[in-house]
Structure formats: C-alpha cells, structure tokens
Amino acid sequence: MDLHFKVNKKSKRNNARLGEFTTKWGVSTTPMFMPVGTQATVKTLNPEELVDAGANVVLSNTYHLWLRPGEDIVDKAGGLHKFMNYTNGPILTDSGGFQVFSLAKEKDIKEEGVYFKSNIDGSNLFLSPEKSIEIQNKLASDIAMSFDECPPYPATYEYMKNSVERTLRWAARGKKVHANNEQALFGIVQGGEYEDLRRYSAIETVKMDFDGYSIGGAAVGETKETQYKEVEYATKYLPEDKIRYLMGVGDPIDLIEGVIRGVDIFDCVAPTRIARHGNAYTRNGKMNIRNQKYKEDFTPIEENCDCYACKNFTRAYIRHCIISEEVLGQRLLSIHNIRFLTKLMEDIRKNIETDTLEEFRDEFKEKYYG
Amino acid sequence: MDLHFKVNKKSKRNNARLGEFTTKWGVSTTPMFMPVGTQATVKTLNPEELVDAGANVVLSNTYHLWLRPGEDIVDKAGGLHKFMNYTNGPILTDSGGFQVFSLAKEKDIKEEGVYFKSNIDGSNLFLSPEKSIEIQNKLASDIAMSFDECPPYPATYEYMKNSVERTLRWAARGKKVHANNEQALFGIVQGGEYEDLRRYSAIETVKMDFDGYSIGGAAVGETKETQYKEVEYATKYLPEDKIRYLMGVGDPIDLIEGVIRGVDIFDCVAPTRIARHGNAYTRNGKMNIRNQKYKEDFTPIEENCDCYACKNFTRAYIRHCIISEEVLGQRLLSIHNIRFLTKLMEDIRKNIETDTLEEFRDEFKEKYYG
C-alpha cells in the first residue's frame, strides 16, 4: 500500500525533515514516536488514554500475537484494530525477528527460517519470512515489517556480512508473498556497526522498492555514538521520499539525534517499562518517584505538563501507589511518559519548522543531564 | 456530622427501604454498593472510571493508609479526597479493626487496644479506639467507623460476649474523642451468630447515638443463612432514621437479601478481586473469562450492559488480556463488575419503588444460579 508519504519541509542545516503520511485512519505527522502494545495492549493503558497522551501510530508485536491469541483469532475479530479497539490511528507490526532473537530459546537459524522453542511453553516453533508476512497480513496492521535477523552486539564482520545477506534474501521472499494491498511493507536495514555493511544493506534493500525503510539492530547494546553512526550509515542511502523508521529507539536524546540524522518514526517500550518501575521522564532528567524526597511533594510530576497524570495527581500520591504496588501508579507514569515523548516530538517538529533543532537539542541536553 | 438521612419509601412487605443522605459532595441514594479503595485507589481504576461505573461512595481502609503513606501525609495533602483525587462523592473509612484481625501478626488484644506486628515490615504497632478515630479524622473521610473487634467465625458464646462488651466500651471511647464536625461516625454491631448478643450489641450501641450503624462480623465464613439471620437480629433494633451498613458483603444475592432485611449500604472487595482473577459477574451467573470457550467469542461480557468494557471490548479480547497477564484485562473486568453491582442496586431501588423486590430476587436467583 502506498502511504502517500511526503516531506513538507527539510532542514537546511541537517537531515531533519517534517513529513506526513496517510492511511485510512487519517493523516499522520512525522517525526513521530510510537508507543508499543506488545500483546495488543499498551501495558496498563486503554485506547482513549493513548490518544489523550498524543499517540497516533501504535506498534504491536507479531511474535507475541502469533503465540497468543494466535493470528487467526485476530483475523476472525476483524483485524488488530477491531480486536484491541484501537481506531484512532494506524497500527504497525514488527516482523517477529527481534523477539525470536531476544526471547526465543534454543534457536537454530537456517536459510529457510528460524527454528526455536516458545518462551511461553517451550513448544517447537518455526518462523520464516513467508510465515511472518502471512501472520502480519492476518493481523491486518497498516504497516508490516520484513522478517530479518537482528544480530547481537557485538558481532564479527564475518557473522554480520552473512546475516545481512540472508536478511536481504529473506526480505525478497517476504515481499514476494506479501498479498495485502491495504498493508504497507517496509524493508529493514541491518549491518551493525559496519559502515560498508549498512551501506550494502541499505542499497540492496532499497533496490527491492519497499513502502518504507527501517533501521534495525541499532539499539542492541552499542554506545549512543555508535548508534548515531549506524543511523548515519543507513540514512545516507535511503530515498528521500520514503519513511525512515529507527526501530526500538526511544531515549529522549536519541529521538532528537535520530531526527537530526533524517529519521521519521521511532518506537520503544521504555516509556511504559520504566513507568512500571516507578520512573518518569522530565525535562530535568529521569526521576524515580520512589525517592523519599517525594513523600510529601504535592506538586505534579512535571509543572506545565498537560497529561492526565500531571493535571490530576501529585508526586506524593503516585509515589504512594508505586510503593504500594497499586496499578494506578503504573498507569499514571505510563501516561506521563508517553505524553512526554509525544510532546517532545511536537517540539521537535516546531524546531524543524524554524530550523532550530540543533539549538533545541543542546538546550534539552543541558537541562536533561544538568 | 448529620448525614440528613431520610427514608423516602418503605416496603409494605419487608424491611427494604429507599433513602438518601447528603454530604458536601451532594445527595447519595440508598440502597447503595460502595467499591473498596484499600490503599486510596480502587485497584487498577482511576476516579473517572469509578464514576462512569456508577459508583458514588468509595470506601478506603484506615489500617492500610495508616501504614502507607501515613495519615499525616494524607492530612497534609488536604485529606483523602484531594490525595486520591476523588471528588465525585463521599468517602467512608473503616476503623482498621477488621484488618488488624485479618492481616496483623501476633496480635494481643488488651482493654486499651490491640498490640500487633505490621503485615508489611513486622514492626510493633498499637491501635486503639482513640488512635483509629484520630487517624480517620486526619484522613478526613465523610463517614468514619468506631474501632471494633471483628471476632473469628465460629467463636464461642463466652468469647463473643466478652468481645461485644469490649467493643461497646471501645465505641464509647472513640465517640468521646471524635473531634471532626465534618465527619459522621458510625457504631458497629457485633455479636456473631448469637441472637441475644446481636440484640444486646445493637441496643447498647444505639444508646450511644451514632450517626449511623454498621453490622460487622457478618461476612467472616458463616453460611448465607446464618449471615441473613445475623442481619435480622441486628436491624430489628436499629433506628429507622439512621443508615444501616452491612460491612464486607457484596455477593449479588446477599445484596438483595440484605436490602430486604433493611440494609442501606454495602461494601466488598469482591468485584475487583474476582476481576483480577479473570471472573465477571453476569445475570446468568459468574463467568470465568479464561475458559477456552470464550477464545473466539466476539460478543461483550454481557449483552445490554452499558459499562465501558462491554461497550468497547469482546470476551475474546478480555480473555486474551487476562491470559497474557495484561493489566487492561483486569481493568475491564473490574469496571464491569462494579457496574454490575451498581446496576443491580439501581434495579433493587426500582423494585422497592414498586414493592416487587422479592419477585425480583426470585427471578434474579433463578437466572444467576440457572
């Protein structure tokens, strides 16, 4: 499916760009952060809370939905949007590749696909490029991903080269069976920290003419500097008129740096995961609400934040909920953290408009790490 | 504080009555079910969801809030309503008596109060009638409870007699120190299964002239028949013009039977507790959403239910969330179960209006136990 992506403005000073794309759910604006609904629900939240927190595209995980409840049930429900009642924006599904490599047990990577054991019940499973696309077709997401190998970091040049070549062959196989005309399909650029492999992966993937391009394996343990370089290596060879998606990256600073390097969309479990452990993003850095000093602090998590949590609850109350293991505390921090990132993207977009994103980054970093 | 309770209609066939009382939060209608927010939050839900599910009075637990975050912090926050941002109706606090007897460790009941160890950190604690009232004053609930002993079931006549007498002395001591003019104070009738002790407890408690009367120790393991008798033993001696509160009772049938015996308000953790284990109330009986047969069931939990869960999600989806241990599943079932009970109370009130509550009960039971 054509996403009708268009770049509305490009920075004259760096690779940042303002864009938009269109699906049957309406117009989506980039750069954008996508919250992750691993098992067809963004942990602890309902769809209205996502919209209220400024979310548009939601990501869901093919691997998890394949195992539970199974793609056929989602299909019978009328697709993922209907199943999870998310009708306010597009849904993007990943390919399952990352989860196979991070969660699955006893995996055996062959040319035909990956044999492994389920992380839930230990049963024998097999995922291939064709199977991943078939599942994503049934999930009826708006944007699907090609099945790739996400190699560990660090990996030797030799390993990475073989892996990149196999991922290219897998991408071609997936594209061949991609049957859903209402679903866009992205190719994934791998290559780890190796400039020539990222270049090779990008150029060869682009040759296959996907609806958009993802940068994978850039949030698997490398330093920020290495991650930024990996992004640069890849974006250089990606077409201007297609969406660029940096997978699994959600640290506030990394979002700004990614946009400066030409990335359009991002996803990460961090805002909801750190929330469940009692952490909140603020412009003055990450805050652990469990800290004793918030015990009698009757101010919101962040002054001037327009999220539901900040408008209605105090640090003292949220701390009490987190310490007492009450779900509402996790909900409130999740809402705040998602809103923090969607608001950050709004500010990023404003600063692309005025071409002041680098100044914005410097100021943001100073306060955030201050 | 005078709750301005008035009975608007009395059944000619049984002791059911329609009533209302007034607090600064407005008029509350009885008979009514109150959801429980143990630690200043009704588990998994936010205040708007409670209101949306038809809740009015919310109960919170003195024992839990005393231990965490501590009554002084709630006081500094401006009271429990402000602390938990519940401003849509009154808050009732219990006395801590029940939790001391069900949760506390190594308890030693003396005339002055109860010595015990915290269930959280094992520290030495002491709760007395005066201390319980002092804590509740600081929590600034609208309705407070006298500190009582909630004896186990079964208990010998001798034990119960001594306990009832001590609870009467404790009630008098608590009333003496009750300093908050904006807070109503209820006395608690104990006496277990013994008719003469319930009568004695009721008559002596009423002599002290409280703002309302609770029936305690009627949901501690006895059969339904015994529970109903205990309620009858007590209500017979309670004044018509004061609220009667049956503590800890929330089984749908028990709510109807309690109302028929003259009870006005009820509370129970059941609707949210059973939700967290995947159970939903329906007019056709309790349903366990984990059941395999709901795997591809794309209907709501209950047809014609107007709750948020039923209007927006299917059994298949909620089952998936519960099986996958996703909080949203618990939230949706909690909302449904609270709405089920508030809707049941609406139906009960309608049937008092037409004096058909016994027919309603018979029909309800037939469907519920099917």
Side-chain angles (χ1 to χ4, degrees):
Chain A
M1 184 185 70
D2 185 1
L3 289 169
H4 310 284
F5 178 67
K6 54 178 183 170
V7 174
N8 290 326
K9 186 176 172 91
K10 263 193 61 64
S11 167
K12 290 190 171 63
R13 301 167 60 193
N14 52 56
N15 291 315
R17 61 226 208 124
L18 275 178
E20 60 180 53
F21 63 96
T22 308
T23 65
K24 62 178 161 185
W25 312 102
V27 174
S28 300
T29 315
T30 61
M32 170 198 286
F33 174 79
M34 309 181 288
V36 179
T38 306
Q39 304 188 106
T41 157
V42 175
K43 285 197 191 300
T44 82
L45 302 183
N46 73 19
E48 290 75 15
E49 286 164 330
L50 292 176
V51 177
D52 195 45
N56 176 245
V57 180
V58 166
L59 183 145
S60 201
N61 293 112
T62 293
Y63 172 86
H64 291 282
L65 297 176
W66 173 45
L67 298 194
R68 271 191 321 214
E71 69 278 14
D72 286 330
I73 285 177
V74 176
D75 187 23
K76 283 179 191 166
L80 201 43
H81 284 88
K82 271 192 94 167
F83 184 60
M84 66 187 280
N85 194 36
Y86 187 71
T87 54
N88 301 282
I91 294 175
L92 182 152
T93 44
D94 62 5
S95 68
F98 180 76
Q99 282 70 32
V100 166
F101 295 99
S102 63
L103 293 176
K105 290 169 182 166
E106 299 177 34
K107 58 180 178 279
D108 186 14
I109 308 169
K110 300 281 190 191
E111 184 60 27
E112 63 266 31
V114 190
Y115 297 87
F116 59 98
K117 288 190 190 296
S118 160
N119 69 310
I120 297 175
D121 61 7
S123 59
N124 291 313
L125 294 167
F126 173 68
L127 201 54
S128 67
E130 291 82 5
K131 182 71 187 170
S132 170
I133 296 294
E134 186 199 318
I135 298 167
Q136 293 182 76
N137 279 182
K138 284 188 176 170
L139 296 177
S141 55
D142 303 282
I143 304 175
M145 293 297 124
S146 298
F147 188 66
D148 61 329
E149 185 193 352
C150 182
Y153 176 85
T156 63
Y157 185 87
E158 198 58 25
Y159 184 95
M160 190 59 81
K161 188 166 188 295
N162 287 329
S163 171
V164 161
E165 281 168 350
R166 188 170 45 228
T167 285
L168 286 170
R169 291 191 296 274
W170 283 0
R173 279 166 54 190
K175 191 160 192 295
K176 204 167 159 189
V177 299
H178 186 252
N180 189 333
N181 283 326
E182 297 198 359
Q183 186 179 56
L185 181 61
F186 282 23
I188 303 184
V189 178
Q190 291 285 356
E193 60 190 312
Y194 305 106
E195 182 168 9
D196 65 323
L197 294 183
R198 285 278 177 190
R199 181 178 62 226
Y200 174 68
S201 176
I203 290 172
E204 293 303 314
T205 306
V206 169
K207 276 187 193 162
M208 290 183 238
D209 190 24
F210 284 98
D211 301 310
Y213 297 93
S214 308
I215 301 166
V220 289
E222 62 274 68
T223 61
K224 283 182 186 298
E225 289 60 42
T226 303
Q227 177 189 100
Y228 302 158
K229 271 188 204 157
E230 290 173 351
V231 173
E232 284 168 20
Y233 299 159
T235 48
K236 203 182 291 187
Y237 303 98
L238 296 177
E240 286 282 338
D241 62 342
K242 291 288 167 69
I243 297 177
R244 298 156 178 176
Y245 162 29
L246 181 54
M247 305 179 86
V249 168
D251 188 77
I253 306 299
D254 297 348
L255 296 181
I256 307 175
E257 297 286 5
V259 169
I260 286 174
R261 287 161 179 79
V263 174
D264 304 303
I265 61 177
F266 303 83
D267 81 285
C268 195
V269 296
T272 47
R273 179 171 290 166
I274 70 168
R276 295 197 303 284
H277 294 101
N279 293 294
Y281 294 126
T282 83
R283 292 280 165 124
N284 296 311
K286 231 183 269 181
M287 111 192 247
N288 185 338
I289 200 86
R290 292 173 166 273
N291 196 309
Q292 182 76 17
K293 70 180 169 191
Y294 303 125
K295 207 168 172 180
E296 299 188 12
D297 185 339
F298 301 113
T299 63
I301 304 168
E302 203 169 18
E303 294 289 355
N304 305 318
C305 174
D306 62 3
C307 87
Y308 170 76
C310 287
K311 281 190 294 184
N312 292 286
F313 300 91
T314 61
R315 292 172 173 184
Y317 180 70
I318 298 172
R319 177 182 188 275
H320 163 69
C321 287
I322 290 289
I323 298 250
S324 307
E325 290 171 22
E326 288 286 357
V327 162
L328 184 56
Q330 305 182 349
R331 285 178 60 185
L332 295 174
L333 291 179
S334 295
I335 288 171
H336 173 79
N337 286 346
I338 289 175
R339 179 58 188 144
F340 181 89
L341 294 184
T342 63
K343 178 69 170 61
L344 175 60
M345 297 315 283
E346 287 171 21
D347 288 347
I348 287 174
R349 294 198 293 268
K350 273 184 210 156
N351 281 283
I352 299 176
E353 200 71 67
T354 50
D355 217 349
T356 51
L357 189 53
E358 292 178 35
E359 288 79 0
F360 174 77
R361 173 200 55 200
D362 295 342
E363 279 168 40
F364 184 93
K365 278 177 85 164
E366 208 180 303
K367 273 187 83 175
Y368 196 77
Y369 292 118
Chain B
M1 182 185 73
D2 185 1
L3 288 169
H4 309 284
F5 178 67
K6 54 178 184 172
V7 174
N8 290 325
K9 186 175 172 95
K10 263 194 61 65
S11 167
K12 292 189 170 63
R13 300 165 61 191
N14 52 55
N15 291 315
R17 63 227 206 121
L18 274 178
E20 61 180 52
F21 63 95
T22 308
T23 64
K24 62 179 161 185
W25 312 102
V27 174
S28 300
T29 315
T30 60
M32 171 199 285
F33 174 79
M34 308 181 288
V36 180
T38 305
Q39 304 189 108
T41 157
V42 174
K43 283 194 191 304
T44 81
L45 303 182
N46 73 19
E48 290 75 16
E49 286 165 330
L50 292 176
V51 177
D52 195 45
N56 176 245
V57 181
V58 167
L59 183 144
S60 200
N61 294 112
T62 293
Y63 172 86
H64 291 282
L65 296 177
W66 173 45
L67 298 193
R68 270 191 322 212
E71 68 278 15
D72 286 329
I73 284 176
V74 176
D75 187 23
K76 283 179 191 165
L80 202 43
H81 284 88
K82 270 192 95 168
F83 184 60
M84 64 187 281
N85 195 34
Y86 186 70
T87 54
N88 300 282
I91 295 176
L92 182 152
T93 44
D94 62 5
S95 68
F98 180 76
Q99 282 71 31
V100 167
F101 295 99
S102 64
L103 293 176
K105 289 172 184 165
E106 299 176 35
K107 57 177 178 280
D108 185 15
I109 309 170
K110 300 282 189 189
E111 184 60 27
E112 62 267 30
V114 190
Y115 297 87
F116 59 97
K117 287 189 190 298
S118 160
N119 69 310
I120 297 174
D121 61 8
S123 59
N124 291 314
L125 294 166
F126 173 68
L127 201 55
S128 68
E130 292 82 5
K131 182 71 187 170
S132 169
I133 296 295
E134 187 199 316
I135 298 168
Q136 293 182 77
N137 279 182
K138 286 189 175 169
L139 296 177
S141 55
D142 303 283
I143 304 175
M145 294 296 124
S146 298
F147 188 66
D148 61 328
E149 185 194 350
C150 182
Y153 177 87
T156 64
Y157 184 86
E158 198 58 23
Y159 184 95
M160 191 59 81
K161 189 166 184 297
N162 287 329
S163 170
V164 160
E165 281 169 349
R166 188 171 42 228
T167 285
L168 287 170
R169 291 190 296 273
W170 284 0
R173 280 167 53 190
K175 191 161 190 296
K176 207 168 157 189
V177 298
H178 185 252
N180 189 334
N181 284 326
E182 295 197 2
Q183 186 178 57
L185 180 63
F186 282 23
I188 304 184
V189 178
Q190 291 286 355
E193 61 190 314
Y194 305 107
E195 182 168 9
D196 64 324
L197 294 183
R198 285 279 177 190
R199 180 178 63 227
Y200 174 68
S201 175
I203 289 173
E204 295 302 315
T205 306
V206 170
K207 277 186 192 162
M208 290 182 238
D209 190 25
F210 284 97
D211 302 310
Y213 298 93
S214 308
I215 302 165
V220 288
E222 61 274 66
T223 63
K224 284 182 185 299
E225 288 61 39
T226 303
Q227 176 188 99
Y228 303 159
K229 270 188 202 156
E230 291 173 349
V231 173
E232 285 168 19
Y233 298 158
T235 49
K236 204 183 289 185
Y237 303 98
L238 296 178
E240 286 282 339
D241 62 343
K242 292 285 166 71
I243 297 177
R244 298 155 179 175
Y245 162 30
L246 181 53
M247 304 180 88
V249 168
D251 188 78
I253 307 300
D254 297 347
L255 296 181
I256 308 176
E257 296 287 7
V259 169
I260 286 174
R261 285 159 179 82
V263 173
D264 304 303
I265 61 176
F266 303 83
D267 82 285
C268 194
V269 295
T272 46
R273 180 171 290 166
I274 70 169
R276 294 196 304 282
H277 293 102
N279 293 294
Y281 295 125
T282 83
R283 291 281 165 124
N284 296 311
K286 230 183 272 181
M287 110 191 248
N288 185 338
I289 201 84
R290 292 174 166 273
N291 196 308
Q292 182 75 18
K293 69 181 168 190
Y294 304 125
K295 207 169 172 179
E296 298 188 11
D297 186 338
F298 301 112
T299 63
I301 303 168
E302 203 169 19
E303 293 288 354
N304 305 319
C305 175
D306 62 3
C307 86
Y308 170 75
C310 287
K311 281 190 293 185
N312 293 286
F313 299 92
T314 62
R315 292 172 173 183
Y317 180 70
I318 298 171
R319 178 182 187 277
H320 163 68
C321 287
I322 290 289
I323 298 249
S324 307
E325 291 171 21
E326 288 285 358
V327 162
L328 184 56
Q330 305 182 349
R331 285 178 59 185
L332 295 174
L333 291 178
S334 295
I335 287 171
H336 173 79
N337 287 346
I338 289 175
R339 179 58 189 145
F340 181 89
L341 294 184
T342 63
K343 179 69 169 63
L344 175 60
M345 298 315 283
E346 287 171 21
D347 288 348
I348 287 173
R349 293 198 294 266
K350 273 185 210 157
N351 281 283
I352 300 176
E353 199 71 68
T354 51
D355 216 349
T356 50
L357 189 53
E358 292 178 34
E359 288 80 359
F360 174 77
R361 172 198 56 199
D362 296 343
E363 279 168 40
F364 184 92
K365 278 177 84 163
E366 208 180 303
K367 274 187 82 175
Y368 196 77
Y369 292 119

